[in-house]
């Protein structure tokens, strides 16, 4: 049986909508998306120019770059079936004023102001999604996520052994705050991330 794979796309909550990021994330979850990675970042003008390089030469380009570098944004990697297409639908038309007329329940209608300050950004197509995900998350693994039954096989092969090892270490250490300790241990021992050293010796084995 062939695996059903979950593609990914990039979403950005723009500066003027950042105060509504919690509500926007709730809408994203209710629409069936999974937020795989999330990062708050303040883009420099140079980074804004790189992100929107496909608009170079257009009249909107200077205003777009200035706006996107005017304050922090929230970048997210979303996953679900037809991720790019369905995220575009959830965002609604590019112009928030028109969105309020034709798609009143869309994110841009609810949280945007006009065509420039339209609350959220989304990748135009899968190729753009891959480029933009790499832009914000250079260490991201972009292979599609398998759904059941491949997901169950992945859990049994990678997740469950890691969790079991972490719980074993938790029992040995008996920390005062076991939840925080286990969370930190799982971050350090994530099987999907390469080990990153910062000059300090890890204490994964109780040393």
């Amino acid at each position: 049986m062939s695996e059903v794979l979950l593609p990914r796309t990039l979403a950005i909550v723009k500066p003027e909508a950042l105060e509504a990021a919690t509500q926007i994330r709730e809408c994203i979850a209710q629409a069936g998306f999974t937020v795989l990675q999330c990062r708050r970042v303040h883009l420099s003008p140079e980074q804004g120019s790189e992100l929107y390089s496909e608009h170079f030469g257009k009249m909107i380009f200077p205003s777009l770059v200035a706006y996107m570098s005017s304050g922090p944004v929230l970048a997210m990697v979303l996953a679900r079936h037809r991720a790019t297409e369905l995220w575009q639908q959830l965002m609604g038309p590019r112009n928030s004023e028109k969105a309020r007329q034709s798609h009143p329940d869309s994110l841009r209608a609810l949280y945007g102001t006009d065509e420039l300050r339209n609350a959220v950004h989304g990748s135009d197509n899968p190729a753009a999604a891959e480029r933009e995900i790499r832009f914000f998350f250079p260490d991201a693994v972009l292979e599609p996520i398998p759904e059941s039954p491949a997901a169950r096989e992945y859990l049994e092969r990678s997740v469950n052994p890691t969790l079991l090892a972490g719980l074993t270490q938790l029992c040995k250490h008996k920390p005062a705050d076991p939840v925080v300790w286990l969370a930190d241990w799982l971050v350090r021992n994530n099987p999907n991330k390469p080990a990153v050293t910062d000059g300090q010796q890890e204490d994964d084995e109780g040393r």
Side-chain angles (χ1 to χ4, degrees):
M1 181 182 296
S2 61
E3 294 180 357
V4 179
L5 302 177
L6 289 177
R8 308 177 189 193
T9 195
L10 183 88
I12 301 176
V13 179
K14 296 184 176 182
E16 95 283 356
L18 201 59
E19 292 184 355
T22 299
Q23 298 94 307
I24 292 174
R25 288 196 61 166
E26 289 176 356
C27 292
I28 289 171
Q30 291 172 3
F33 290 93
T34 299
V35 178
L36 299 179
Q37 292 180 277
C38 183
R39 178 188 179 197
R40 178 176 170 139
V41 59
H42 194 151
L43 298 172
S44 68
E46 292 77 15
Q47 290 171 323
S49 297
E50 181 181 351
L51 178 64
Y52 287 100
S53 58
E54 72 272 18
H55 296 298
F56 183 77
K58 298 179 181 179
M59 291 184 63
I60 196 175
F61 181 75
S63 299
L64 183 60
V65 170
Y67 166 58
M68 289 300 290
S69 59
S70 66
V73 301
L74 187 69
M76 296 174 284
V77 180
L78 308 183
R80 69 155 296 173
H81 177 60
R82 296 163 55 207
T84 301
E85 175 187 351
L86 294 178
W87 173 237
Q88 289 282 345
Q89 292 179 13
L90 184 60
M91 289 192 298
R94 191 178 302 274
N95 190 312
S96 294
E97 296 175 349
K98 294 180 179 179
R100 280 187 279 274
Q101 299 175 10
S102 60
H103 296 74
D105 296 326
S106 67
L107 294 178
R108 284 170 170 164
L110 294 171
Y111 301 105
T113 302
D114 49 36
E115 185 172 4
L116 179 64
R117 296 169 176 80
N118 58 1
V120 287
H121 164 88
S123 305
D124 290 333
N125 51 63
E130 181 172 348
R131 180 182 70 83
E132 293 176 352
I133 290 172
R134 291 288 188 200
F135 178 87
F136 283 101
F137 304 94
D139 297 326
V141 178
L142 294 181
E143 287 77 7
I145 300 175
E147 288 183 335
S148 179
R152 289 196 295 271
E153 190 275 333
Y154 168 75
L155 289 173
E156 293 174 0
R157 183 184 71 249
S158 299
V159 177
N160 291 349
T162 302
L163 184 58
L164 179 60
L167 291 172
T168 300
Q169 291 296 320
L170 178 67
C171 292
K172 290 181 179 179
H173 285 265
K174 296 181 175 58
D177 193 334
V179 174
V180 172
W181 189 97
L182 181 60
D184 290 339
W185 190 96
L186 290 172
V187 168
R188 295 196 306 270
N189 293 272
N190 183 348
N192 291 324
K193 293 177 65 176
V196 178
T197 58
D198 58 2
Q200 297 181 349
Q201 186 177 8
E202 293 183 353
D203 192 27
D204 299 336
E205 298 300 330
R207 293 190 295 271

